[in-house]
Amino acid sequence: MKNDRKKELIRSAKFLLFSVSAGLIELAAFSLLNELTSWSYWPCYLIALVLSVLWNFTLNRRFTFQSAGNVPVAMAKVFAFYCVFTPLSTIGGNFLAEDLGWNEYLVTAINMVVNFALEFLYQRFFVFRDSIDSNAAAQKKKEQEQA
């Protein structure tokens, strides 16, 4: 039981670190697009979000959840999440930034925090629920622990 809690704490820390790296990618892409183009908030945010999602999914699948599950199925589940999250965060963010005059970077940061929390829960308990610790690296570690 104690070992399981430690594993989940480590899993959560990995997810946080990879999410921070994805957040840096999102902020860098958003900043470049926001500052170097005359585009409104939503295309800058949307492009930056897609880049960070691809990065985050790839790293978390391999290292955080150590899943050997079907990649297209997992990606489809993540795509379903973003079919809901993206329009809500894009429309909401655009409303806050363009209509209410909120700072674009504050709006993006708020979206990123909400995304982090919801995506961890979604991936942990839905996307990778049945395939956690099933890849070769996880199996090798399990064998070493049993020896």
Side-chain angles (χ1 to χ4, degrees), residues 96-128:
L96 293 174
E98 300 293 328
D99 296 340
L100 297 184
W102 287 28
N103 180 281
E104 297 93 345
Y105 295 98
L106 173 63
V107 173
T108 300
I110 291 168
N111 276 332
M112 290 169 67
V113 169
V114 171
N115 185 22
F116 165 75
L118 293 176
E119 188 175 16
F120 176 78
L121 295 171
Y122 186 81
Q123 287 191 14
R124 170 62 182 88
F125 296 108
F126 181 67
V127 176
F128 299 114

PDB file of all heavy atoms in Angstrom, residues 96-128:
ATOM      1  N   LEU A  96     -12.363  36.507 -22.618  1.00  0.00           N
ATOM      2  CA  LEU A  96     -11.661  37.226 -21.553  1.00  0.00           C
ATOM      3  C   LEU A  96     -10.631  38.202 -22.113  1.00  0.00           C
ATOM      4  O   LEU A  96     -10.534  39.346 -21.639  1.00  0.00           O
ATOM      5  CB  LEU A  96     -10.980  36.229 -20.606  1.00  0.00           C
ATOM      6  CG  LEU A  96     -11.907  35.345 -19.772  1.00  0.00           C
ATOM      7  CD1 LEU A  96     -11.097  34.309 -19.005  1.00  0.00           C
ATOM      8  CD2 LEU A  96     -12.755  36.182 -18.818  1.00  0.00           C
ATOM      9  N   ALA A  97      -9.879  37.768 -23.121  1.00  0.00           N
ATOM     10  CA  ALA A  97      -8.799  38.605 -23.657  1.00  0.00           C
ATOM     11  C   ALA A  97      -9.317  39.702 -24.575  1.00  0.00           C
ATOM     12  O   ALA A  97      -8.900  40.861 -24.460  1.00  0.00           O
ATOM     13  CB  ALA A  97      -7.784  37.736 -24.399  1.00  0.00           C
ATOM     14  N   GLU A  98     -10.211  39.361 -25.486  1.00  0.00           N
ATOM     15  CA  GLU A  98     -10.649  40.327 -26.496  1.00  0.00           C
ATOM     16  C   GLU A  98     -11.817  41.194 -26.018  1.00  0.00           C
ATOM     17  O   GLU A  98     -11.822  42.397 -26.245  1.00  0.00           O
ATOM     18  CB  GLU A  98     -11.051  39.593 -27.788  1.00  0.00           C
ATOM     19  CG  GLU A  98      -9.933  38.786 -28.422  1.00  0.00           C
ATOM     20  CD  GLU A  98      -8.792  39.638 -28.961  1.00  0.00           C
ATOM     21  OE1 GLU A  98      -9.041  40.775 -29.406  1.00  0.00           O
ATOM     22  OE2 GLU A  98      -7.646  39.150 -28.936  1.00  0.00           O
ATOM     23  N   ASP A  99     -12.804  40.584 -25.375  1.00  0.00           N
ATOM     24  CA  ASP A  99     -14.003  41.340 -24.990  1.00  0.00           C
ATOM     25  C   ASP A  99     -13.864  42.040 -23.631  1.00  0.00           C
ATOM     26  O   ASP A  99     -14.321  43.165 -23.472  1.00  0.00           O
ATOM     27  CB  ASP A  99     -15.228  40.420 -24.968  1.00  0.00           C
ATOM     28  CG  ASP A  99     -15.560  39.873 -26.339  1.00  0.00           C
ATOM     29  OD1 ASP A  99     -15.117  40.455 -27.349  1.00  0.00           O
ATOM     30  OD2 ASP A  99     -16.269  38.846 -26.414  1.00  0.00           O
ATOM     31  N   LEU A 100     -13.250  41.333 -22.666  1.00  0.00           N
ATOM     32  CA  LEU A 100     -13.118  41.934 -21.340  1.00  0.00           C
ATOM     33  C   LEU A 100     -11.772  42.630 -21.125  1.00  0.00           C
ATOM     34  O   LEU A 100     -11.577  43.273 -20.106  1.00  0.00           O
ATOM     35  CB  LEU A 100     -13.333  40.864 -20.257  1.00  0.00           C
ATOM     36  CG  LEU A 100     -14.715  40.206 -20.224  1.00  0.00           C
ATOM     37  CD1 LEU A 100     -14.813  39.247 -19.046  1.00  0.00           C
ATOM     38  CD2 LEU A 100     -15.832  41.254 -20.151  1.00  0.00           C
ATOM     39  N   GLY A 101     -10.858  42.448 -22.080  1.00  0.00           N
ATOM     40  CA  GLY A 101      -9.576  43.140 -22.004  1.00  0.00           C
ATOM     41  C   GLY A 101      -8.583  42.565 -21.007  1.00  0.00           C
ATOM     42  O   GLY A 101      -7.642  43.242 -20.609  1.00  0.00           O
ATOM     43  N   TRP A 102      -8.781  41.313 -20.600  1.00  0.00           N
ATOM     44  CA  TRP A 102      -7.817  40.680 -19.700  1.00  0.00           C
ATOM     45  C   TRP A 102      -6.493  40.501 -20.440  1.00  0.00           C
ATOM     46  O   TRP A 102      -6.462  40.326 -21.646  1.00  0.00           O
ATOM     47  CB  TRP A 102      -8.311  39.328 -19.236  1.00  0.00           C
ATOM     48  CG  TRP A 102      -9.429  39.342 -18.236  1.00  0.00           C
ATOM     49  CD1 TRP A 102     -10.389  40.298 -18.083  1.00  0.00           C
ATOM     50  CD2 TRP A 102      -9.713  38.340 -17.274  1.00  0.00           C
ATOM     51  NE1 TRP A 102     -11.257  39.944 -17.093  1.00  0.00           N
ATOM     52  CE2 TRP A 102     -10.860  38.737 -16.570  1.00  0.00           C
ATOM     53  CE3 TRP A 102      -9.122  37.139 -16.945  1.00  0.00           C
ATOM     54  CZ2 TRP A 102     -11.418  37.974 -15.548  1.00  0.00           C
ATOM     55  CZ3 TRP A 102      -9.682  36.375 -15.932  1.00  0.00           C
ATOM     56  CH2 TRP A 102     -10.809  36.807 -15.238  1.00  0.00           C
ATOM     57  N   ASN A 103      -5.424  40.475 -19.699  1.00  0.00           N
ATOM     58  CA  ASN A 103      -4.102  40.243 -20.263  1.00  0.00           C
ATOM     59  C   ASN A 103      -4.047  38.853 -20.886  1.00  0.00           C
ATOM     60  O   ASN A 103      -4.422  37.856 -20.254  1.00  0.00           O
ATOM     61  CB  ASN A 103      -3.046  40.378 -19.157  1.00  0.00           C
ATOM     62  CG  ASN A 103      -1.658  40.152 -19.672  1.00  0.00           C
ATOM     63  OD1 ASN A 103      -1.247  39.012 -19.861  1.00  0.00           O
ATOM     64  ND2 ASN A 103      -0.932  41.235 -19.903  1.00  0.00           N
ATOM     65  N   GLU A 104      -3.563  38.780 -22.124  1.00  0.00           N
ATOM     66  CA  GLU A 104      -3.526  37.501 -22.861  1.00  0.00           C
ATOM     67  C   GLU A 104      -2.697  36.441 -22.146  1.00  0.00           C
ATOM     68  O   GLU A 104      -3.022  35.260 -22.158  1.00  0.00           O
ATOM     69  CB  GLU A 104      -2.940  37.693 -24.273  1.00  0.00           C
ATOM     70  CG  GLU A 104      -3.737  38.578 -25.171  1.00  0.00           C
ATOM     71  CD  GLU A 104      -3.276  40.033 -25.134  1.00  0.00           C
ATOM     72  OE1 GLU A 104      -2.517  40.430 -24.207  1.00  0.00           O
ATOM     73  OE2 GLU A 104      -3.688  40.795 -26.023  1.00  0.00           O
ATOM     74  N   TYR A 105      -1.617  36.871 -21.498  1.00  0.00           N
ATOM     75  CA  TYR A 105      -0.741  35.922 -20.811  1.00  0.00           C
ATOM     76  C   TYR A 105      -1.398  35.386 -19.534  1.00  0.00           C
ATOM     77  O   TYR A 105      -1.228  34.214 -19.195  1.00  0.00           O
ATOM     78  CB  TYR A 105       0.615  36.559 -20.518  1.00  0.00           C
ATOM     79  CG  TYR A 105       1.347  36.880 -21.803  1.00  0.00           C
ATOM     80  CD1 TYR A 105       1.318  38.158 -22.343  1.00  0.00           C
ATOM     81  CD2 TYR A 105       2.019  35.894 -22.501  1.00  0.00           C
ATOM     82  CE1 TYR A 105       1.958  38.452 -23.531  1.00  0.00           C
ATOM     83  CE2 TYR A 105       2.670  36.171 -23.697  1.00  0.00           C
ATOM     84  CZ  TYR A 105       2.631  37.453 -24.203  1.00  0.00           C
ATOM     85  OH  TYR A 105       3.262  37.722 -25.385  1.00  0.00           O
ATOM     86  N   LEU A 106      -2.149  36.217 -18.840  1.00  0.00           N
ATOM     87  CA  LEU A 106      -2.893  35.760 -17.669  1.00  0.00           C
ATOM     88  C   LEU A 106      -3.947  34.736 -18.083  1.00  0.00           C
ATOM     89  O   LEU A 106      -4.098  33.692 -17.447  1.00  0.00           O
ATOM     90  CB  LEU A 106      -3.553  36.946 -16.955  1.00  0.00           C
ATOM     91  CG  LEU A 106      -4.500  36.580 -15.805  1.00  0.00           C
ATOM     92  CD1 LEU A 106      -3.739  35.881 -14.684  1.00  0.00           C
ATOM     93  CD2 LEU A 106      -5.217  37.828 -15.296  1.00  0.00           C
ATOM     94  N   VAL A 107      -4.665  35.022 -19.150  1.00  0.00           N
ATOM     95  CA  VAL A 107      -5.698  34.102 -19.644  1.00  0.00           C
ATOM     96  C   VAL A 107      -5.065  32.775 -20.045  1.00  0.00           C
ATOM     97  O   VAL A 107      -5.577  31.701 -19.707  1.00  0.00           O
ATOM     98  CB  VAL A 107      -6.469  34.728 -20.829  1.00  0.00           C
ATOM     99  CG1 VAL A 107      -7.426  33.729 -21.447  1.00  0.00           C
ATOM    100  CG2 VAL A 107      -7.228  35.983 -20.378  1.00  0.00           C
ATOM    101  N   THR A 108      -3.945  32.829 -20.728  1.00  0.00           N
ATOM    102  CA  THR A 108      -3.262  31.607 -21.145  1.00  0.00           C
ATOM    103  C   THR A 108      -2.789  30.824 -19.923  1.00  0.00           C
ATOM    104  O   THR A 108      -2.924  29.594 -19.877  1.00  0.00           O
ATOM    105  CB  THR A 108      -2.080  31.945 -22.074  1.00  0.00           C
ATOM    106  OG1 THR A 108      -2.599  32.630 -23.220  1.00  0.00           O
ATOM    107  CG2 THR A 108      -1.354  30.690 -22.533  1.00  0.00           C
ATOM    108  N   ALA A 109      -2.266  31.499 -18.923  1.00  0.00           N
ATOM    109  CA  ALA A 109      -1.812  30.822 -17.695  1.00  0.00           C
ATOM    110  C   ALA A 109      -2.984  30.148 -16.981  1.00  0.00           C
ATOM    111  O   ALA A 109      -2.860  29.013 -16.502  1.00  0.00           O
ATOM    112  CB  ALA A 109      -1.112  31.824 -16.776  1.00  0.00           C
ATOM    113  N   ILE A 110      -4.117  30.818 -16.907  1.00  0.00           N
ATOM    114  CA  ILE A 110      -5.301  30.227 -16.279  1.00  0.00           C
ATOM    115  C   ILE A 110      -5.732  28.975 -17.043  1.00  0.00           C
ATOM    116  O   ILE A 110      -6.006  27.923 -16.452  1.00  0.00           O
ATOM    117  CB  ILE A 110      -6.460  31.256 -16.199  1.00  0.00           C
ATOM    118  CG1 ILE A 110      -6.128  32.350 -15.194  1.00  0.00           C
ATOM    119  CG2 ILE A 110      -7.782  30.560 -15.842  1.00  0.00           C
ATOM    120  CD1 ILE A 110      -7.059  33.551 -15.251  1.00  0.00           C
ATOM    121  N   ASN A 111      -5.763  29.071 -18.373  1.00  0.00           N
ATOM    122  CA  ASN A 111      -6.112  27.899 -19.191  1.00  0.00           C
ATOM    123  C   ASN A 111      -5.136  26.752 -18.959  1.00  0.00           C
ATOM    124  O   ASN A 111      -5.528  25.583 -18.917  1.00  0.00           O
ATOM    125  CB  ASN A 111      -6.133  28.266 -20.682  1.00  0.00           C
ATOM    126  CG  ASN A 111      -7.445  28.871 -21.109  1.00  0.00           C
ATOM    127  OD1 ASN A 111      -8.485  28.589 -20.535  1.00  0.00           O
ATOM    128  ND2 ASN A 111      -7.397  29.702 -22.123  1.00  0.00           N
ATOM    129  N   MET A 112      -3.864  27.068 -18.805  1.00  0.00           N
ATOM    130  CA  MET A 112      -2.858  26.031 -18.607  1.00  0.00           C
ATOM    131  C   MET A 112      -3.028  25.323 -17.266  1.00  0.00           C
ATOM    132  O   MET A 112      -2.892  24.098 -17.180  1.00  0.00           O
ATOM    133  CB  MET A 112      -1.455  26.636 -18.723  1.00  0.00           C
ATOM    134  CG  MET A 112      -1.113  27.050 -20.148  1.00  0.00           C
ATOM    135  SD  MET A 112       0.384  28.038 -20.282  1.00  0.00           S
ATOM    136  CE  MET A 112       1.601  26.837 -19.821  1.00  0.00           C
ATOM    137  N   VAL A 113      -3.342  26.047 -16.224  1.00  0.00           N
ATOM    138  CA  VAL A 113      -3.547  25.438 -14.899  1.00  0.00           C
ATOM    139  C   VAL A 113      -4.781  24.537 -14.908  1.00  0.00           C
ATOM    140  O   VAL A 113      -4.750  23.411 -14.404  1.00  0.00           O
ATOM    141  CB  VAL A 113      -3.648  26.528 -13.806  1.00  0.00           C
ATOM    142  CG1 VAL A 113      -4.122  25.948 -12.488  1.00  0.00           C
ATOM    143  CG2 VAL A 113      -2.303  27.227 -13.629  1.00  0.00           C
ATOM    144  N   VAL A 114      -5.858  25.019 -15.496  1.00  0.00           N
ATOM    145  CA  VAL A 114      -7.075  24.209 -15.594  1.00  0.00           C
ATOM    146  C   VAL A 114      -6.803  22.958 -16.433  1.00  0.00           C
ATOM    147  O   VAL A 114      -7.186  21.844 -16.061  1.00  0.00           O
ATOM    148  CB  VAL A 114      -8.248  25.032 -16.182  1.00  0.00           C
ATOM    149  CG1 VAL A 114      -9.442  24.151 -16.490  1.00  0.00           C
ATOM    150  CG2 VAL A 114      -8.634  26.153 -15.228  1.00  0.00           C
ATOM    151  N   ASN A 115      -6.112  23.129 -17.538  1.00  0.00           N
ATOM    152  CA  ASN A 115      -5.767  22.016 -18.410  1.00  0.00           C
ATOM    153  C   ASN A 115      -4.920  20.980 -17.670  1.00  0.00           C
ATOM    154  O   ASN A 115      -5.159  19.784 -17.769  1.00  0.00           O
ATOM    155  CB  ASN A 115      -5.028  22.527 -19.639  1.00  0.00           C
ATOM    156  CG  ASN A 115      -4.732  21.444 -20.641  1.00  0.00           C
ATOM    157  OD1 ASN A 115      -5.373  20.406 -20.680  1.00  0.00           O
ATOM    158  ND2 ASN A 115      -3.745  21.682 -21.475  1.00  0.00           N
ATOM    159  N   PHE A 116      -3.932  21.428 -16.918  1.00  0.00           N
ATOM    160  CA  PHE A 116      -3.055  20.526 -16.167  1.00  0.00           C
ATOM    161  C   PHE A 116      -3.863  19.616 -15.240  1.00  0.00           C
ATOM    162  O   PHE A 116      -3.706  18.397 -15.261  1.00  0.00           O
ATOM    163  CB  PHE A 116      -2.029  21.340 -15.360  1.00  0.00           C
ATOM    164  CG  PHE A 116      -1.343  20.535 -14.294  1.00  0.00           C
ATOM    165  CD1 PHE A 116      -0.353  19.621 -14.632  1.00  0.00           C
ATOM    166  CD2 PHE A 116      -1.701  20.669 -12.965  1.00  0.00           C
ATOM    167  CE1 PHE A 116       0.277  18.866 -13.651  1.00  0.00           C
ATOM    168  CE2 PHE A 116      -1.083  19.927 -11.986  1.00  0.00           C
ATOM    169  CZ  PHE A 116      -0.092  19.017 -12.323  1.00  0.00           C
ATOM    170  N   ALA A 117      -4.716  20.207 -14.439  1.00  0.00           N
ATOM    171  CA  ALA A 117      -5.478  19.423 -13.468  1.00  0.00           C
ATOM    172  C   ALA A 117      -6.435  18.450 -14.146  1.00  0.00           C
ATOM    173  O   ALA A 117      -6.482  17.263 -13.808  1.00  0.00           O
ATOM    174  CB  ALA A 117      -6.245  20.365 -12.540  1.00  0.00           C
ATOM    175  N   LEU A 118      -7.191  18.940 -15.111  1.00  0.00           N
ATOM    176  CA  LEU A 118      -8.165  18.079 -15.783  1.00  0.00           C
ATOM    177  C   LEU A 118      -7.494  16.979 -16.604  1.00  0.00           C
ATOM    178  O   LEU A 118      -7.939  15.826 -16.603  1.00  0.00           O
ATOM    179  CB  LEU A 118      -9.078  18.917 -16.683  1.00  0.00           C
ATOM    180  CG  LEU A 118     -10.013  19.889 -15.977  1.00  0.00           C
ATOM    181  CD1 LEU A 118     -10.788  20.709 -17.003  1.00  0.00           C
ATOM    182  CD2 LEU A 118     -10.959  19.154 -15.044  1.00  0.00           C
ATOM    183  N   GLU A 119      -6.403  17.326 -17.276  1.00  0.00           N
ATOM    184  CA  GLU A 119      -5.743  16.343 -18.129  1.00  0.00           C
ATOM    185  C   GLU A 119      -5.090  15.233 -17.314  1.00  0.00           C
ATOM    186  O   GLU A 119      -5.122  14.069 -17.711  1.00  0.00           O
ATOM    187  CB  GLU A 119      -4.710  17.016 -19.030  1.00  0.00           C
ATOM    188  CG  GLU A 119      -4.142  16.060 -20.050  1.00  0.00           C
ATOM    189  CD  GLU A 119      -3.209  16.729 -21.031  1.00  0.00           C
ATOM    190  OE1 GLU A 119      -2.753  17.865 -20.778  1.00  0.00           O
ATOM    191  OE2 GLU A 119      -2.925  16.100 -22.059  1.00  0.00           O
ATOM    192  N   PHE A 120      -4.506  15.574 -16.164  1.00  0.00           N
ATOM    193  CA  PHE A 120      -3.923  14.512 -15.334  1.00  0.00           C
ATOM    194  C   PHE A 120      -4.994  13.514 -14.929  1.00  0.00           C
ATOM    195  O   PHE A 120      -4.813  12.299 -15.069  1.00  0.00           O
ATOM    196  CB  PHE A 120      -3.233  15.065 -14.087  1.00  0.00           C
ATOM    197  CG  PHE A 120      -2.724  13.958 -13.202  1.00  0.00           C
ATOM    198  CD1 PHE A 120      -1.554  13.290 -13.525  1.00  0.00           C
ATOM    199  CD2 PHE A 120      -3.434  13.553 -12.087  1.00  0.00           C
ATOM    200  CE1 PHE A 120      -1.085  12.230 -12.737  1.00  0.00           C
ATOM    201  CE2 PHE A 120      -2.979  12.500 -11.293  1.00  0.00           C
ATOM    202  CZ  PHE A 120      -1.805  11.841 -11.619  1.00  0.00           C
ATOM    203  N   LEU A 121      -6.089  14.000 -14.408  1.00  0.00           N
ATOM    204  CA  LEU A 121      -7.170  13.109 -13.977  1.00  0.00           C
ATOM    205  C   LEU A 121      -7.704  12.282 -15.147  1.00  0.00           C
ATOM    206  O   LEU A 121      -7.934  11.077 -15.016  1.00  0.00           O
ATOM    207  CB  LEU A 121      -8.293  13.920 -13.330  1.00  0.00           C
ATOM    208  CG  LEU A 121      -7.914  14.624 -12.028  1.00  0.00           C
ATOM    209  CD1 LEU A 121      -9.034  15.562 -11.602  1.00  0.00           C
ATOM    210  CD2 LEU A 121      -7.581  13.618 -10.945  1.00  0.00           C
ATOM    211  N   TYR A 122      -7.900  12.908 -16.263  1.00  0.00           N
ATOM    212  CA  TYR A 122      -8.432  12.226 -17.450  1.00  0.00           C
ATOM    213  C   TYR A 122      -7.474  11.135 -17.939  1.00  0.00           C
ATOM    214  O   TYR A 122      -7.887  10.001 -18.220  1.00  0.00           O
ATOM    215  CB  TYR A 122      -8.690  13.259 -18.546  1.00  0.00           C
ATOM    216  CG  TYR A 122      -9.363  12.716 -19.777  1.00  0.00           C
ATOM    217  CD1 TYR A 122     -10.738  12.518 -19.823  1.00  0.00           C
ATOM    218  CD2 TYR A 122      -8.615  12.419 -20.909  1.00  0.00           C
ATOM    219  CE1 TYR A 122     -11.355  12.031 -20.961  1.00  0.00           C
ATOM    220  CE2 TYR A 122      -9.228  11.934 -22.053  1.00  0.00           C
ATOM    221  CZ  TYR A 122     -10.591  11.739 -22.074  1.00  0.00           C
ATOM    222  OH  TYR A 122     -11.198  11.258 -23.207  1.00  0.00           O
ATOM    223  N   GLN A 123      -6.190  11.481 -18.038  1.00  0.00           N
ATOM    224  CA  GLN A 123      -5.234  10.490 -18.521  1.00  0.00           C
ATOM    225  C   GLN A 123      -5.019   9.370 -17.506  1.00  0.00           C
ATOM    226  O   GLN A 123      -4.965   8.201 -17.866  1.00  0.00           O
ATOM    227  CB  GLN A 123      -3.902  11.152 -18.886  1.00  0.00           C
ATOM    228  CG  GLN A 123      -3.996  11.949 -20.162  1.00  0.00           C
ATOM    229  CD  GLN A 123      -2.653  12.401 -20.679  1.00  0.00           C
ATOM    230  OE1 GLN A 123      -1.604  11.929 -20.259  1.00  0.00           O
ATOM    231  NE2 GLN A 123      -2.674  13.329 -21.609  1.00  0.00           N
ATOM    232  N   ARG A 124      -4.901   9.707 -16.250  1.00  0.00           N
ATOM    233  CA  ARG A 124      -4.634   8.692 -15.214  1.00  0.00           C
ATOM    234  C   ARG A 124      -5.793   7.714 -15.084  1.00  0.00           C
ATOM    235  O   ARG A 124      -5.579   6.506 -14.966  1.00  0.00           O
ATOM    236  CB  ARG A 124      -4.359   9.389 -13.876  1.00  0.00           C
ATOM    237  CG  ARG A 124      -4.299   8.479 -12.653  1.00  0.00           C
ATOM    238  CD  ARG A 124      -3.170   7.480 -12.772  1.00  0.00           C
ATOM    239  NE  ARG A 124      -3.102   6.581 -11.656  1.00  0.00           N
ATOM    240  CZ  ARG A 124      -3.757   5.424 -11.558  1.00  0.00           C
ATOM    241  NH1 ARG A 124      -4.585   5.039 -12.502  1.00  0.00           N
ATOM    242  NH2 ARG A 124      -3.593   4.641 -10.505  1.00  0.00           N
ATOM    243  N   PHE A 125      -7.012   8.223 -15.061  1.00  0.00           N
ATOM    244  CA  PHE A 125      -8.159   7.369 -14.750  1.00  0.00           C
ATOM    245  C   PHE A 125      -8.986   6.939 -15.956  1.00  0.00           C
ATOM    246  O   PHE A 125      -9.904   6.147 -15.815  1.00  0.00           O
ATOM    247  CB  PHE A 125      -9.046   8.060 -13.713  1.00  0.00           C
ATOM    248  CG  PHE A 125      -8.339   8.236 -12.402  1.00  0.00           C
ATOM    249  CD1 PHE A 125      -7.925   9.494 -11.990  1.00  0.00           C
ATOM    250  CD2 PHE A 125      -8.041   7.150 -11.603  1.00  0.00           C
ATOM    251  CE1 PHE A 125      -7.248   9.662 -10.790  1.00  0.00           C
ATOM    252  CE2 PHE A 125      -7.366   7.299 -10.404  1.00  0.00           C
ATOM    253  CZ  PHE A 125      -6.972   8.562  -9.997  1.00  0.00           C
ATOM    254  N   PHE A 126      -8.654   7.448 -17.141  1.00  0.00           N
ATOM    255  CA  PHE A 126      -9.397   7.028 -18.325  1.00  0.00           C
ATOM    256  C   PHE A 126      -8.481   6.549 -19.447  1.00  0.00           C
ATOM    257  O   PHE A 126      -8.559   5.406 -19.869  1.00  0.00           O
ATOM    258  CB  PHE A 126     -10.317   8.158 -18.822  1.00  0.00           C
ATOM    259  CG  PHE A 126     -11.117   7.783 -20.025  1.00  0.00           C
ATOM    260  CD1 PHE A 126     -12.103   6.809 -19.956  1.00  0.00           C
ATOM    261  CD2 PHE A 126     -10.881   8.384 -21.248  1.00  0.00           C
ATOM    262  CE1 PHE A 126     -12.843   6.445 -21.083  1.00  0.00           C
ATOM    263  CE2 PHE A 126     -11.608   8.028 -22.378  1.00  0.00           C
ATOM    264  CZ  PHE A 126     -12.595   7.059 -22.288  1.00  0.00           C
ATOM    265  N   VAL A 127      -7.592   7.395 -19.910  1.00  0.00           N
ATOM    266  CA  VAL A 127      -6.765   7.057 -21.074  1.00  0.00           C
ATOM    267  C   VAL A 127      -5.841   5.880 -20.785  1.00  0.00           C
ATOM    268  O   VAL A 127      -5.804   4.915 -21.536  1.00  0.00           O
ATOM    269  CB  VAL A 127      -5.946   8.280 -21.550  1.00  0.00           C
ATOM    270  CG1 VAL A 127      -5.017   7.897 -22.686  1.00  0.00           C
ATOM    271  CG2 VAL A 127      -6.872   9.414 -21.977  1.00  0.00           C
ATOM    272  N   PHE A 128      -5.089   5.951 -19.684  1.00  0.00           N
ATOM    273  CA  PHE A 128      -4.072   4.935 -19.400  1.00  0.00           C
ATOM    274  C   PHE A 128      -4.451   4.000 -18.249  1.00  0.00           C
ATOM    275  O   PHE A 128      -3.626   3.193 -17.826  1.00  0.00           O
ATOM    276  CB  PHE A 128      -2.731   5.604 -19.118  1.00  0.00           C
ATOM    277  CG  PHE A 128      -2.221   6.409 -20.285  1.00  0.00           C
ATOM    278  CD1 PHE A 128      -2.093   7.783 -20.203  1.00  0.00           C
ATOM    279  CD2 PHE A 128      -1.878   5.787 -21.476  1.00  0.00           C
ATOM    280  CE1 PHE A 128      -1.623   8.520 -21.283  1.00  0.00           C
ATOM    281  CE2 PHE A 128      -1.414   6.517 -22.564  1.00  0.00           C
ATOM    282  CZ  PHE A 128      -1.285   7.887 -22.466  1.00  0.00           C
TER     283      PHE A 128
END
